[in-house]
Amino acid sequence: MKNQSKDTMYGIRKGIAFYFNDYIEKDSIKTMIGNLINITGTKFTSKRAQDDPKIRLIRGGWERVFDNTFRNSTFEDSNVLMFTDGTKEALPTTKIYMNLWNPNKMPSIILINCMTDIEWDTIISFIHNINELLNLQFVSAGYDVVSNDFWYPGSAAYSLKFLQTMKYANSKWTEWFNPSYRLVANDGICCPNIIQFLSHKLWSPVKDAVNQSGFHCEQLNSGVLLDVLDHRDRMLFEPEKDVLFDRLSKLYQALRPIIIPINKPMFLKENEWASWQKRYDSGK
């Protein structure tokens, strides 16, 4: 651990978190994974399934692993599977983590991380495609600080120290898989982001405030897709990071009625967590 470089332990990726309430159709999830592979060009090399504490090599391809993992599952309780192309020596270029079950008090979640050179319009198109496959409740896309799963828990702790210097980013630990958020994720969201999809249920309480803020919104059959990007000549452009953070702070204010307070995750001190929770209030 002490000899590992910081580039091996943690880094920045683009992330997309999908929360949805569906009876699980395995073919739909496989289609989603296939679409991700087409976008990123990755070849998954390792997996972690169910309660297995170890990351193991994929043998026979990801589809075979998927089929074998879920062959006898009824999805009446939590079913977990992760695919990654990362190693002990390198962070993944692409990773997908799935926690799937039939409609429950908590939604299913799929968290994807990919390289930062994947364009935002590609990510929006991907969300459009998945919206046709799944009954989406909330989708959030932006920058994530990620850690090397092979060096957990040390890598996770280091990554959250780094996260505090990247206030426009999020993480698996502070937001997407925070246990206190997942328990109530059907009722609200955990944070603003560069791109988000809100179901009609989530959109209704914030519609007027978001529209008054002037952010780009796209009406879909099942909800609204909104972002803080620049739209010029039918193209998307990311603003400078200080402008991006200012826009996220403004969006935070508009989305306040549906943002749910969440508890401190592992690896952060109380004062660090308090500062993190107030980052958009300060506007700095």
Side-chain angles (χ1 to χ4, degrees), residues 143-161:
Y143 287 106
D144 279 2
V145 169
V146 301
S147 57
N148 191 321
D149 293 295
F150 289 89
W151 293 106
Y152 177 86
S155 59
Y158 285 128
S159 75
L160 292 194
K161 296 295 184 184

Side-chain angles (χ1 to χ4, degrees), residues 26 29-30 33 37 43-50 52 54-73 75 79-84 96 98 100:
K26 289 182 279 190
I29 306 301
K30 289 172 72 174
I33 299 171
I37 291 171
K43 180 179 180 180
F44 291 123
T45 53
S46 298
K47 54 94 174 181
R48 177 186 284 149
Q50 298 299 86
D52 191 341
K54 294 184 178 181
I55 301 173
R56 302 183 186 276
L57 291 177
I58 290 176
R59 303 186 187 279
W62 71 265
E63 290 174 296
R64 179 181 177 185
V65 172
F66 184 99
D67 291 339
N68 288 341
T69 300
F70 298 135
R71 186 179 307 281
N72 298 317
S73 178
F75 294 100
N79 291 257
V80 174
L81 180 60
M82 178 192 75
F83 291 132
T84 180
I96 181 168
M98 299 162 276
L100 309 174

Side-chain angles (χ1 to χ4, degrees), residues 120 123-124 127 139-141 193-196 225-227 229:
W120 291 120
I123 289 175
I124 287 178
I127 294 172
V139 181
S140 190
N193 215 338
I194 295 173
I195 300 164
Q196 43 263 296
L225 191 64
L226 65 113
D227 66 72
L229 299 165

